[in-house]
Amino acid sequence: MRQSITSLKEEKTNKEQDGIWPQVKFVQCPIRTSLGVLGKKWTMLILRDIGFLKIVRFNRILDSIPGLTPRVLSMRLRELEDEGYIECVGGKREPLIVVWRLTEKGRDTLPILIHITAFGSKWHADVVFEDKKPRSLNEIFPQPEVSRIMMGIR
Amino acid sequence: MRQSITSLKEEKTNKEQDGIWPQVKFVQCPIRTSLGVLGKKWTMLILRDIGFLKIVRFNRILDSIPGLTPRVLSMRLRELEDEGYIECVGGKREPLIVVWRLTEKGRDTLPILIHITAFGSKWHADVVFEDKKPRSLNEIFPQPEVSRIMMGIR
DNA sequence: GGTATCAGTATACTTAGTATAGTACATAAA
DNA sequence: TTTATGTACTATACTAAGTATACTGATACC
C-alpha cells in the first residue's frame, strides 16, 4: 500500500542482500552488545594505553590522554574491570601499586584498535603523520604478528 | 630519583616495547583522531544500517535502532555527511526521498564494524545467538570478500 | 477531506562528561 | 621532623551530550 514510494532497492528485506552481513541469525546485534563500555568516551584510548603502549598505571594513563580526568578514568577502569576487559596484576587493588593488564577478552579488542589505527592512518594522515602521507594497514603494522592477532590465532 | 617506586616493567619507555604498536612516529594518535564522530553514541549502528543492512532512510534507521531518537539521528547523519562518511544518492537532499550510502571513507569503516561484530559474537554469544554458542570471525563471515575488505583490497 | 508517511524540529529534561580541588597514604630529602 | 613529591583516587559544581515527547510542513493514499 505504500509501494509507490517505498519500492526502492533498500526495501527488498534485509536477508536477501547482496552484501556481506552474516547469514547467521542474530537474536541481538553483536555490535550493539559490544558497544556498552567499548562505545563510551575514552575507553578505546585506555585500552590502547594498556594493550599497546604498556602504559598501565593510573597517573601514567592520565598523563598520556589529554582531556581525560581522574574521575572518568576511575569510572572507566572500574567498568572495564567489572566487564572483564582488564585486571590488576596483583589480583586485588593495593594502593600505590595498581598495575593493569588486558585479559583474554581485552586482548580480543586489539583487532578493533588496529583497524581504527589503520583507518586514522589513511583518512587523517594530515594530522597523524609529519609528512601528511596516508599509510595502509600493512605499512604501519608490518609485523606478521598483526595478521595473526586479527585472525584470532594465538 | 623515583627509581625505587617506578622501576617497574612498564617504565622502560614506550618505544622499546615488545608489543606490536607501530614503529612509525605519529604526530597525533590515529585512534584519537578517528574517534570524533565514530566515537559518538549510535554512530557505529547507523553505519551498520547503511553499510551492511542497507537500511538507508531516516525512518527506517529510526525503526531499526531502538532508543535512537530523531533528534540524535538527524545530528549524526549531518556529522557523518559533513565528515565525508556518507552521502545522499541524489547529491542534494530532496524531501521525501532522502537515501543514504557510504562513501569510500565510510566503506573503510566496515573492517572496524566486522571486528566489533566478531568480538560480540565471541564474547556476548549468550545474548547474540539463540544457542548461546560463541562463533569466530570465519564462522560468521565465511565469504572470501570479507578478508579482502579487511585487507583494503577493492 | 481524513489519514498516513516523509524527513525532520522544538522544547524540556536527564544523564554523561569536565573542571578543579581535595583526600589519605607512602616515600624521600633536608 | 618538616617539607616536598608521588600514589590512586574522591567530592562538588558545572557544562555538554543524549532522551522523551510533541510537533511541523510537505507529499501521497483512499
Side-chain angles (χ1 to χ4, degrees):
Chain A
M1 53 195 27
R2 40 167 202 168
Q3 270 315 97
S4 61
I5 270 189
T6 51
S7 64
L8 295 159
K9 115 157 164 288
E10 87 280 4
E11 287 287 338
K12 55 168 177 168
T13 87
N14 307 327
K15 277 87 197 108
E16 29 141 323
Q17 280 331 113
D18 52 328
I20 54 153
W21 189 249
Q23 265 58 38
V24 193
K25 302 141 227 59
F26 294 127
V27 177
Q28 217 198 315
C29 174
I31 297 179
R32 170 143 219 172
T33 63
S34 304
L35 257 43
V37 229
L38 287 190
K40 292 195 169 182
K41 199 170 178 182
W42 305 117
T43 301
M44 293 292 196
L45 293 173
I46 294 168
L47 290 176
R48 172 207 64 179
D49 271 20
I50 300 173
F52 280 132
L53 302 179
K54 309 298 174 193
I55 300 173
V56 291
R57 297 179 64 182
F58 196 89
N59 285 325
R60 296 294 81 72
I61 297 173
L62 222 44
D63 292 342
S64 78
I65 306 178
L68 177 60
T69 59
R71 177 174 136 84
V72 172
L73 176 55
S74 182
M75 293 184 342
R76 288 294 169 280
L77 288 174
R78 213 169 294 271
E79 291 159 353
L80 286 169
E81 189 186 25
D82 287 347
E83 301 205 17
Y85 292 87
I86 59 172
E87 62 191 358
C88 284
V89 285
K92 194 75 206 104
R93 297 192 185 195
E94 310 207 12
L96 216 52
I97 37 157
V98 182
V99 176
W100 297 99
R101 72 173 157 217
L102 299 186
T103 60
E104 195 203 335
K105 184 175 178 180
R107 283 192 297 275
D108 277 346
T109 64
L110 296 182
I112 301 169
L113 289 176
I114 287 172
H115 274 100
I116 297 177
T117 305
F119 180 89
S121 298
K122 175 171 180 183
W123 289 97
H124 303 283
D126 52 328
V127 293
V128 166
F129 300 115
E130 208 160 40
D131 62 8
K132 300 175 191 304
K133 288 200 181 78
R135 281 160 176 81
S136 74
L137 180 62
N138 300 327
E139 287 176 277
I140 51 172
F141 292 105
Q143 304 95 320
E145 207 173 338
V146 171
S147 30
R148 297 178 61 249
I149 287 180
M150 291 200 307
M151 295 311 172
I153 308 159
R154 209 173 305 281
Chain B
M1 52 192 33
R2 41 169 201 165
Q3 269 316 97
S4 60
I5 269 189
T6 52
S7 63
L8 295 159
K9 116 158 165 287
E10 89 279 4
E11 286 287 339
K12 56 167 179 171
T13 87
N14 306 328
K15 276 90 197 105
E16 29 142 323
Q17 278 335 111
D18 51 329
I20 55 154
W21 189 249
Q23 265 57 39
V24 193
K25 303 142 228 52
F26 293 128
V27 177
Q28 217 197 318
C29 174
I31 297 179
R32 169 141 219 173
T33 61
S34 303
L35 257 43
V37 229
L38 287 191
K40 292 196 170 182
K41 199 170 179 182
W42 306 117
T43 302
M44 293 291 196
L45 292 173
I46 294 167
L47 291 175
R48 172 208 63 178
D49 272 19
I50 300 173
F52 279 132
L53 302 178
K54 310 297 175 196
I55 299 173
V56 292
R57 297 179 63 182
F58 195 89
N59 286 323
R60 296 295 78 72
I61 297 173
L62 222 43
D63 293 342
S64 77
I65 306 180
L68 177 61
T69 58
R71 177 175 135 84
V72 172
L73 176 56
S74 183
M75 292 185 341
R76 288 295 168 280
L77 288 173
R78 214 170 292 272
E79 291 159 354
L80 286 169
E81 189 185 27
D82 288 346
E83 301 204 18
Y85 292 86
I86 59 172
E87 63 191 358
C88 285
V89 285
K92 194 73 206 109
R93 297 191 186 195
E94 311 209 9
L96 218 51
I97 36 155
V98 182
V99 175
W100 297 99
R101 70 173 159 217
L102 299 185
T103 60
E104 193 202 338
K105 184 175 178 180
R107 283 192 297 276
D108 277 345
T109 64
L110 296 183
I112 300 169
L113 289 176
I114 287 172
H115 274 101
I116 297 177
T117 305
F119 180 88
S121 298
K122 174 171 181 184
W123 289 98
H124 303 282
D126 52 327
V127 292
V128 167
F129 299 115
E130 210 160 38
D131 62 8
K132 301 175 191 305
K133 289 201 181 76
R135 281 159 176 82
S136 73
L137 181 62
N138 300 326
E139 288 176 277
I140 50 172
F141 292 105
Q143 304 94 321
E145 207 174 338
V146 171
S147 30
R148 297 179 60 249
I149 286 179
M150 291 200 307
M151 297 310 173
I153 307 158
R154 209 173 303 281

